Amino acid sequence: MQQDYLARVLAAANTDPAVAGAFFAVLSLNRPPQTLLTPRIATHALRTPSPSG
C-alpha cells in the first residue's frame, strides 16, 4: 500500500506543481515525510493512476 501511494506521488509530481514542490521539500529534508500525506497532496496523488496498472 505504501509503495503504491509513493508511486502515485511520484507520477503526480511529474505533472502537478503542488505535488512536485511537496515531494522536493521532503526529498531535500526541508519538510517531514508526513507532508506527502496532507489532504491536498493525497487528493492529487490518489487521482493519478498507479504506474503499475
Side-chain angles (χ1 to χ4, degrees):
M1 192 168 162
Q2 289 174 342
Q3 290 176 342
D4 183 57
Y5 181 74
L6 186 56
R8 288 174 186 257
V9 168
L10 290 172
N14 286 317
T15 59
D16 189 313
V19 178
F23 182 74
F24 183 73
V26 171
L27 190 63
S28 61
L29 303 177
N30 289 322
R31 299 270 188 244
Q34 295 87 344
T35 302
L36 300 177
L37 298 173
T38 62
R40 180 178 180 199
I41 301 304
T43 300
H44 290 272
L46 294 174
R47 287 184 179 166
T48 302
S50 178
S52 61

